[in-house]
Amino acid sequence: MSDMSASASLAMTHLVSLAKEIDEDKVTPGVLGFIVFAVMAVAVWALMKSMNRHMGRVDFPEPEAPATDSEDALAKGGKKQA
């Protein structure tokens, strides 16, 4: 367990020294930021394509609308009342 804390503190000291080297006036996302954004865009595109394919397969019977009184009278052969 003490090895993990020692390696973690060593890593933090290296990261702190790297952070001091960065110019505070010129911070950009860089190549890593572009790669992450591109991967996220491809993932969203693939998910939307999959969703459209799955939604196209959905088929469910719609319930019939309940008939009104005037439609019942017409169906029985009666006259429509005004």
Side-chain angles (χ1 to χ4, degrees):
M1 182 89 176
S2 63
D3 292 332
M4 288 183 67
S5 62
S7 62
S9 65
L10 182 63
M12 288 303 290
T13 56
H14 285 296
L15 289 176
V16 170
S17 65
L18 288 175
K20 290 179 182 177
E21 295 174 7
I22 295 175
D23 183 15
E24 292 181 9
D25 296 330
K26 186 179 178 185
V27 177
T28 62
V31 177
L32 180 63
F34 174 75
I35 291 171
V36 169
F37 182 78
V39 167
M40 287 174 50
V42 169
V44 168
W45 175 79
L47 285 171
M48 289 181 67
K49 188 172 181 179
S50 174
M51 181 191 67
N52 283 332
R53 186 173 59 242
H54 282 84
M55 292 300 285
R57 293 180 185 169
V58 173
D59 185 30
F60 58 92
E62 294 185 19
E64 294 182 17
T68 60
D69 292 337
S70 61
E71 291 175 350
D72 287 339
L74 287 174
K76 292 179 183 176
K79 294 182 181 179
K80 185 176 180 181
Q81 297 175 357

